[in-house]
Amino acid sequence: MSTRLSIFPLAGAVLFPGLQLPLHIFEPRYRALVGDALVRDRRIGMIQPQRAVDGAPLYSIGCVGRIGEIEAMDDGRYNLILEGQSRFRVLRELDVATAFRQVEAELIEDDEDETLSFAQRGGFEQEAREFADAQGYSVDWDSVKDLDDMSLINGVSQIAPFDPASKQALLEAGSLTERCELLVQLMQFFGRSDGGEEITTLQ
């Protein structure tokens, strides 16, 4: 069953189900997008454009976010937290009169109960430790051990300092196991790169 989504195409910003994404909205068209979402269902489709230019073609997979916390400023800007709900597949872009783009999309039903094997989880945590040490990141590993598999893999996928295409590949992975395996490959690849020039951070 298809649904109509107003979208926020933003290169480098990838939202995963079950996670949160803070956004500062200042462009008039996206202020209009937020205003429209607030009076409807509070949903915004986060999706990456294939190129960082206006009107660029979209990747096929994005994530629906629901506006949670929101701060409306006197000058019309917003600070908000998007809460990831479900991945979606773009069926077609709609011809609309609004300043923001809209698509017809199909929601993807992921298996929320999928878990990793003990060996997969252990191998991933070991790889993540090596990657964090190599990149100079400080991680509370005791807290990591308390995370369920889905929260851990999606969380690392969302915040890891990979390039937009790599993050898109993680979002498009068809299962938790596939996403975990791809994450390990990416950490190995980027962890070995000299100078880190290929790594694009979201900060």
Side-chain angles (χ1 to χ4, degrees), residues 13 24 35-37 40 67 79 85 97 109-110 133 143 152-153 155 159 169-170 175 178 189 192 198:
H24 175 65
D36 180 71
R40 293 214 275 175
I67 298 173
N79 286 323
Q85 290 190 316
E109 294 186 14
D110 289 315
D133 288 345
S143 296
L152 174 62
I153 299 303
I159 67 172
L170 287 166
S175 68
E178 288 178 24
F189 175 78
R192 294 192 190 107
E198 302 104 313

Side-chain angles (χ1 to χ4, degrees), residues 127-177:
E127 197 66 49
R129 282 177 183 268
E130 294 178 8
F131 180 77
D133 288 345
Q135 300 297 319
Y137 297 145
S138 177
V139 178
D140 182 351
W141 294 108
D142 287 335
S143 296
V144 168
K145 288 185 181 301
D146 293 336
L147 293 173
D148 63 79
D149 294 342
M150 189 75 72
S151 297
L152 174 62
I153 299 303
N154 285 356
V156 174
S157 295
Q158 182 164 311
I159 67 172
F162 303 143
D163 63 279
S166 296
K167 295 179 84 72
Q168 183 66 33
L170 287 166
L171 183 66
E172 293 183 7
S175 68
L176 186 66
T177 297

